[in-house]
Amino acid sequence: MSYAIIGFGAVGQALAHAFARKNIEVAVASRRPPEALAPQARAIGPTIVAKSLRDALAADTIILAVPFGEHREVAKALPSWEGKTVIDATNAFGVPVEELDGLPSSAFVAKAFTGAKLVKGFNHLVAATLAADPIVEGGHRLVFLSSDDEDAIAPVAALAKQLGFAPLNLGKLDEGGTLVHARGRTWGRLIFQDLFKKEQ
């Protein structure tokens, strides 16, 4: 399984730290050329590889860490998203609800990535918390996952575990997933909740 993080701002870099901590290779890309990202990528760790957007999108699993409005530009970069899993780590806070066609933000994002399996995840924590070691006080920091494609949750949950997190499946995007969606000027109830699962 190959991974890429698209967007190399605070959240993208936080996720890169999580991959580096476990020595898992991940491509990172943004609107900037790879040579502009390379020094920061190298500083995070040797498994963080700066690539062009086109090359990064060759990965099986794409983590979307761009500002919400930029997801369409990323989606246009491939003619087909068949066979890809997209993890939506964006938040639509401040985006008027009417601009989302009445959908949860990730369901709206999913429309742009035709053919992909989309999972909402890694969006509910601030970047500094996401970058920190998720193993705390004998427990693992929770990450909430939701998807309308049940088959998509298991591999993303496996990745979350590999990174040291405790994944929790909230179900479909318009059901439990609404707890981690920002809409208009409101945050879902689980956003910013820094919770842990104790070891059994």
Side-chain angles (χ1 to χ4, degrees), residues 47-71:
T47 62
I48 312 306
V49 184
K51 293 188 176 183
S52 68
L53 180 61
R54 182 175 293 279
D55 288 345
L57 292 179
D60 305 308
T61 299
I62 312 294
I63 305 176
L64 202 57
V66 295
F68 183 79
E70 293 179 19
H71 71 272

Side-chain angles (χ1 to χ4, degrees), residues 100-175:
L100 300 176
D101 298 339
L103 297 169
S105 61
S106 287
F108 183 80
V109 169
K111 292 200 308 180
F113 292 88
T114 310
K117 294 179 176 182
L118 186 130
V119 178
K120 184 75 169 177
F122 298 100
N123 70 298
H124 84 283
L125 295 169
V126 296
T129 304
L130 198 56
D133 190 335
I135 301 171
V136 182
E137 296 172 16
H140 294 257
R141 181 168 277 122
L142 283 177
V143 289
F144 301 110
L145 305 176
S146 57
S147 180
D148 289 343
D149 190 323
E150 284 181 28
D151 295 343
I153 292 274
V156 177
L159 171 62
K161 278 186 179 172
Q162 244 188 308
L163 295 175
F165 294 92
L168 183 64
N169 183 356
L170 296 179
K172 293 190 179 298
L173 296 173
D174 66 350
E175 296 171 355

Side-chain angles (χ1 to χ4, degrees), residues 13-87:
Q13 289 182 36
L15 288 163
H17 277 282
F19 277 83
R21 195 179 294 114
K22 297 295 186 177
N23 292 312
I24 301 169
E25 185 168 311
V26 65
V28 294
S30 76
R31 287 176 302 186
R32 293 183 294 154
E35 51 271 21
L37 308 183
Q40 182 64 40
R42 277 195 299 270
I44 293 171
T47 62
I48 312 306
V49 184
K51 293 188 176 183
S52 68
L53 180 61
R54 182 175 293 279
D55 288 345
L57 292 179
D60 305 308
T61 299
I62 312 294
I63 305 176
L64 202 57
V66 295
F68 183 79
E70 293 179 19
H71 71 272
R72 290 186 194 90
E73 287 307 307
V74 177
K76 287 177 191 168
L78 283 185
S80 169
W81 287 84
E82 288 290 337
K84 303 279 186 192
T85 297
V86 174
I87 301 172

